[in-house]
Amino acid sequence: MFITILGWIIIVFTVLVCISMFVKNEDGTSNSISQKILTIVVSVLVIFFGLYLSGHSKRVNEAKQESISSSRKESISQSKEDSKFSSSEDKESSEDDENGKLFIRDFNVYLSNKKMGTSSIEDGVVKVVLPNSVENMSVADFKALAQEIYDHANTLASGEDYDAGIIYFYSKNGGELARSTFSGGIKIYKE
């Protein structure tokens, strides 16, 4: 508000100065043509500045309103996007669960055919329960077996469009034997 008033004061003052340049001086002389032209040019520039200042509050209010409107639109758009993302996430989660079921079914068929135990997914983690006989295997033989199972699991998982992630190996007794690593190797816990 203050800036608007200041803008109008500048405009009025400039107009008065411009008018005074065309009035004769007290001694009866008038200002030269060059002084009058210079005063007009400067006055026009100063008036434009005054007009800019006088419209400042209006521009600020319009910018605030546009910002609020834009913010509301963005908020509504974000809510819609979140809703779409949430339903998309639910759909992906549902598809992931379905793909996980297919993967476990096929993986258990493989393990059953090889007589190597069973598998399950618990809290998104693939667990393989091996027969107790694996506890008697040498570390090298067990590592080779676990690597074979892990490699086959990843082949099945990619065919089912499922991310098997880290796979944990347990004995039927419940002991943790090994797990796969992020690099695709096997970390052995049994000694």
Side-chain angles (χ1 to χ4, degrees):
M1 182 70 176
F2 172 74
I3 294 177
T4 302
I5 294 171
L6 179 65
W8 284 110
I9 290 172
I10 290 173
I11 292 170
V12 170
F13 181 74
T14 305
V15 169
L16 292 175
V17 169
C18 192
I19 291 171
S20 70
M21 283 304 288
F22 291 94
V23 176
K24 290 190 178 193
N25 297 333
E26 291 177 6
D27 61 357
T29 61
S30 65
N31 294 319
S32 69
I33 299 269
S34 61
Q35 283 180 326
K36 290 178 182 179
I37 292 173
L38 181 63
T39 302
I40 290 172
V41 171
V42 171
S43 295
V44 168
L45 293 174
V46 172
I47 287 172
F48 278 126
F49 179 69
L51 288 171
Y52 173 79
L53 290 179
S54 66
H56 179 72
S57 293
K58 183 178 178 185
R59 285 190 302 277
V60 167
N61 286 337
E62 287 174 356
K64 282 181 183 176
Q65 290 301 323
E66 187 173 325
S67 175
I68 290 169
S69 174
S70 173
S71 179
R72 283 182 186 147
K73 286 177 185 175
E74 188 176 314
S75 176
I76 290 168
S77 173
Q78 186 63 39
S79 294
K80 287 180 181 178
E81 192 64 33
D82 288 348
S83 174
K84 285 180 187 176
F85 182 72
S86 177
S87 92
S88 170
E89 230 178 30
D90 292 345
K91 186 177 178 184
E92 284 179 16
S93 177
S94 173
E95 287 176 8
D96 203 37
D97 289 346
E98 191 60 35
N99 293 344
K101 288 177 186 175
L102 293 172
F103 161 71
I104 287 297
R105 183 197 66 199
D106 293 346
F107 192 35
N108 276 326
V109 168
Y110 164 78
L111 291 172
S112 176
N113 288 341
K114 296 284 189 174
K115 296 184 170 96
M116 288 192 238
T118 59
S119 66
S120 63
I121 299 176
E122 296 176 23
D123 297 326
V125 177
V126 178
K127 296 181 178 183
V128 177
V129 178
L130 300 171
N132 289 332
S133 60
V134 297
E135 292 180 340
N136 299 327
M137 295 174 87
S138 70
V139 171
D141 289 343
F142 177 74
K143 188 170 187 173
L145 174 67
Q147 189 69 52
E148 177 186 335
I149 292 171
Y150 171 75
D151 291 342
H152 192 78
N154 276 323
T155 301
L156 282 174
S158 65
E160 301 292 350
D161 197 25
Y162 179 76
D163 180 14
I166 302 291
I167 298 177
Y168 290 86
F169 297 90
Y170 296 91
S171 68
K172 274 194 174 177
N173 294 334
E176 190 173 12
L177 302 172
R179 71 170 176 83
S180 62
T181 63
F182 290 111
S183 62
I186 302 292
K187 178 174 174 79
I188 305 291
Y189 297 125
K190 81 182 220 85
E191 303 206 10

